[in-house]
Amino acid sequence: MGGLYRSASLADCQDTADAAWDAGVRYFDTAPYYGYTRSERRVGAILDGRRAFVLSTKAGRLMVPDAAVGADEDGWVSPLPFRPVYDYSYDGILRSFDASQQRLGLIHIDILYVHDIGRLTHGDRHEHHWSQLTDSGGFKALGALRQGGQVGAVGLGVNEWQAVADAMQAFDLDVTMLAGRYTLLDQTSLPVLDACKRHGNAVVAAGVFNSGILAGTGKFNYRDAPAEIVQRVTSLQACCDAHGVPLPAAALQFPLAHPAVVSCVVGARSASQFRTNAGWLEQDIPAAFWRDLKARGLLDASAPTADEQS
Amino acid sequence: MRIDSHQHFWRLADRAGQWPPPGLAAIHRDFAPEDLLPALRAGGVAGTVVVQSLPDLAETQALLALADRHPFILGVVGWADLKAPDAAGAVASLALHPKLRALRPMLQDIEDVRWIDDSALDPAAAAMREHRLCLDALVRPEHLPGLLAFAHRHGDIPIVVDHAAKPDIAAGACDGWRRDMAALARHPNVRVKLSGLLTEAGAGAGAATLRPYIQRLVEWFGFDRMLWGSDWPVLLLAGSYDAWLSMCLDLIPEAAHDAVFAANARSFYRLDEPVPR
């Protein structure tokens, strides 16, 4: 709903949400950053009047009015005129939450994730932002929201597992959204997932198509896919073909086999795309497929797979 | 000056083979006041609350006798059979001792995890209320729902949860603990002891392991309802008195030190009141 790479009309968004709701989907995720606040507004409108859903949003970027915001920023097409400014401090988190409440039209938000904290996003500014979370009270703000009942659960929403490992040493996380790091192409986060399980930090798997390449587009980690990734995907596809399994179905179902993973979130820009996703989720995948993936060296041998569960 | 809200003394000869077993070598010996005094001095701890460790009236009486002889023992947490027919009388009798401040049924050792949620406790609870005795809850996470029911029923008996209800830090199982501790913390009369967590975390655990747990406890109870305790000598299974005290002093912000390391124990156990009510 934020308009990543292509814009989606409000009508399409309504249709997609209706299709998802009718199919039984009840967990919705957004962030102030998506579409530079457009996504939260749309999600708020769509959920208005509905009940018994779970909603997550994120904090860590304040969206500051800026008339200079152009037609294509950070991959967002036609974003709203608010520019993101990183602020993980106590005040920053609370102000972001306040603004989210207003945009979503909700005073209680089920899950609040600290958005994109970590070296991958911040490079050499990482220490500064990390210290905002720890010393300047960002985690304290999350705790206050949780304790005060405005938020049901808190955690991180990130693309890197290291930040999750570090955060678990500073704060009691309820739930974490980990994007792109537990997928058919990338199981480097396995040790952290085990730690999450032990600490009661529920994991929501996101970016399971690694920005699209596992669903048939050319994108990997928000960029055009490099040659070696394309090669790996070709090998994965070959294994899929041998067992009659659609690659996106395997990509969608794989993370759910890990005991730490409680949910999988997938974007969709149309009702038909949603229904395609749902079909992949329900696809029967033979046990032999997962065994073959491991035998071909295409999957970490210690990654839990559906064939191992009773 | 600091107060240690939770420590034990024992003599093996008096325990007739009961806990601790020989396998826990570090604590399978006698522990007397002279064994603790050096650590207290080094840590700036001026007084302690001694806590029972056997479901046995004789042990409580021995601890009360120790408290008579040693001024640093500011209060005693004793034991009585709270469901016995004469429980109210037994409680009243114990309460005659000027340093008895609380009772501790050893819930973690009782097979029925809901033992504490029972109207049969009403006479004992009434006696505790009359003599202004607190309840020390020696519990694991599975006992918390029962304790919550007791807290509902007897809202004016001050309760402290020993060792933060012993979350299984080493294994990391958390959800029931979180849910039930959050619920307990909503009772203004429930406090938590910052004690025993190193023992739950296991050998080699450091501040990083405990920080998220302590952070959560502070979130639920605030610094005003947290009491520091050593759980010495059981602590020796996991680390030294000094190491545990230093770790806690680091993990708790300085502005809260007086509360957590002294004032909260003093007010919860009414340690400044020299004579019985």
Side-chain angles (χ1 to χ4, degrees):
Chain A
M1 305 207 176
L4 187 65
Y5 308 137
R6 293 204 326 261
S7 65
S9 71
L10 182 56
D12 282 347
C13 292
Q14 282 281 8
D15 286 345
T16 312
D18 287 343
W21 188 272
D22 292 342
V25 172
R26 291 294 181 274
Y27 171 38
F28 298 87
D29 173 68
T30 183
Y33 179 59
Y34 301 159
Y36 286 12
T37 76
R38 169 171 279 114
S39 175
E40 271 193 334
R41 296 186 163 282
R42 286 182 164 182
V43 170
I46 276 153
L47 293 177
D48 185 14
R50 297 188 205 253
R51 302 175 52 152
F53 53 82
V54 174
L55 174 66
S56 58
T57 191
K58 307 188 182 73
R61 291 176 175 92
L62 287 170
M63 301 306 296
V64 173
D66 185 345
V69 165
D72 184 336
E73 301 256 4
D74 284 333
W76 306 114
V77 175
S78 306
L80 288 176
F82 300 88
R83 189 169 299 288
V85 173
Y86 291 113
D87 190 341
Y88 298 93
S89 68
Y90 185 85
D91 284 341
I93 297 292
L94 290 188
R95 280 175 58 198
S96 180
F97 179 77
D98 282 348
S100 291
Q101 284 176 311
Q102 296 291 333
R103 289 188 293 254
L104 292 165
L106 295 167
I107 49 179
H108 173 86
I109 296 172
D110 302 292
I111 300 170
L112 188 64
Y113 297 116
V114 177
H115 204 179
D116 285 339
I117 186 70
R119 241 169 258 284
L120 194 70
T121 308
H122 297 291
D124 55 17
R125 292 282 288 161
H126 168 65
E127 268 78 26
H128 166 74
H129 292 303
W130 187 256
S131 130
Q132 283 188 321
L133 259 187
T134 50
D135 305 325
S136 304
F139 279 139
K140 244 180 89 178
L142 288 179
L145 289 172
R146 176 170 60 186
Q147 183 62 7
Q150 293 104 302
V151 171
V154 299
L156 261 51
V158 290
N159 289 281
E160 53 189 298
W161 57 261
Q162 187 62 51
V164 180
D166 291 344
M168 284 199 291
Q169 301 213 335
F171 188 75
D172 187 15
L173 306 181
D174 300 304
V175 57
T176 290
M177 178 172 285
L178 184 62
R181 297 289 79 76
Y182 194 64
T183 72
L184 276 186
L185 279 171
D186 184 346
Q187 301 104 49
T188 52
S189 62
L190 259 176
V192 165
L193 289 190
D194 293 338
C196 288
K197 178 69 185 163
R198 280 200 306 278
H199 288 96
N201 181 10
V203 176
V204 173
V208 300
F209 300 132
N210 273 124
S211 302
I213 192 162
L214 291 170
T217 76
K219 292 278 187 212
F220 173 74
N221 286 356
Y222 308 108
R223 293 192 184 78
D224 295 330
E228 63 271 21
I229 294 291
V230 173
Q231 178 56 47
R232 293 233 355 248
V233 172
T234 305
S235 307
L236 284 168
Q237 186 68 61
C239 188
C240 285
D241 293 341
H243 295 270
V245 174
L247 177 58
L252 192 42
Q253 294 186 32
F254 166 66
L256 291 165
H258 195 291
V261 174
V262 300
S263 180
C264 209
V265 295
V266 187
R269 66 178 77 253
S270 69
S272 79
Q273 195 180 61
F274 166 77
R275 280 188 275 270
T276 306
N277 291 345
W280 288 329
L281 185 66
E282 280 157 6
Q283 177 83 33
D284 268 326
I285 296 182
F289 166 74
W290 301 110
R291 289 196 292 268
D292 199 8
L293 266 188
K294 289 186 176 178
R296 296 184 189 207
L298 292 173
L299 196 64
D300 190 308
S302 58
T305 47
D307 59 305
E308 295 157 3
Q309 290 163 7
S310 46
Chain B
M1 286 259 86
R2 299 177 179 131
I3 295 175
D4 182 345
S5 76
H6 195 108
Q7 52 99 177
H8 306 284
F9 291 122
W10 60 63
R11 288 193 317 177
L12 292 183
D14 299 335
R15 295 173 86 82
Q18 294 181 79
W19 193 90
L24 297 179
I27 59 173
H28 191 253
R29 41 158 281 217
D30 294 351
F31 290 96
E34 54 267 25
D35 297 316
L36 180 58
L37 283 169
L40 296 183
R41 249 178 254 119
V45 179
T48 73
V49 175
V50 168
V51 181
Q52 63 78 238
S53 60
L54 282 184
D56 172 19
L57 198 54
E59 193 228 4
T60 294
Q61 281 158 348
L63 293 177
L64 288 168
L66 267 185
D68 281 337
R69 293 204 303 278
H70 295 275
F72 77 86
I73 300 175
L74 303 176
V76 175
V77 178
W79 181 90
D81 181 354
L82 298 179
K83 288 189 186 178
D86 65 339
V91 171
S93 169
L94 274 179
L96 290 174
H97 191 289
K99 284 192 177 176
L100 184 81
R101 284 294 182 269
L103 295 177
R104 188 170 91 147
M106 301 188 76
L107 301 179
Q108 72 172 14
D109 301 328
I110 298 175
E111 208 181 300
D112 176 7
V113 300
R114 292 202 73 111
W115 184 93
I116 191 85
D117 175 20
D118 187 351
S119 57
L121 286 166
D122 288 355
M128 286 177 71
R129 197 176 291 117
E130 188 191 331
H131 296 280
R132 297 177 66 204
L133 297 176
C134 306
L135 183 84
D136 260 63
L138 176 62
V139 291
R140 291 192 183 283
E142 58 264 30
H143 302 95
L144 292 176
L147 184 63
L148 195 58
F150 180 91
H152 273 311
R153 190 182 179 85
H154 302 289
D156 50 1
I157 294 182
I159 297 170
V160 69
V161 181
D162 291 353
H163 318 317
K166 300 199 177 190
D168 191 348
I169 297 172
C174 270
D175 282 345
W177 179 75
R178 281 174 178 148
R179 179 195 60 229
D180 295 335
M181 286 294 274
L184 265 173
R186 288 194 272 275
H187 282 260
N189 238 353
V190 178
R191 290 163 177 76
V192 68
K193 274 187 186 172
L194 179 57
S195 59
L197 293 178
L198 209 51
T199 317
E200 291 310 308
T209 312
L210 296 184
R211 190 177 288 116
Y213 287 85
I214 292 175
Q215 173 274 318
R216 204 68 190 258
L217 290 172
V218 171
E219 198 176 301
W220 290 321
F221 291 91
F223 295 116
D224 288 338
R225 290 192 287 150
M226 183 177 273
L227 283 58
W228 178 78
S230 66
D231 197 28
W232 181 94
V234 185
L235 166 67
L236 300 177
L237 293 171
S240 72
Y241 194 102
D242 173 67
W244 171 240
L245 174 59
S246 300
M247 192 183 294
C248 292
L249 288 168
D250 278 341
L251 288 169
I252 301 292
E254 216 177 303
H257 279 187
D258 182 61
V260 173
F261 294 91
N264 295 342
R266 217 182 278 123
S267 69
F268 176 74
Y269 285 117
R270 297 177 298 105
L271 300 177
D272 292 333
E273 292 175 27
V275 288
R277 331 72 235 178

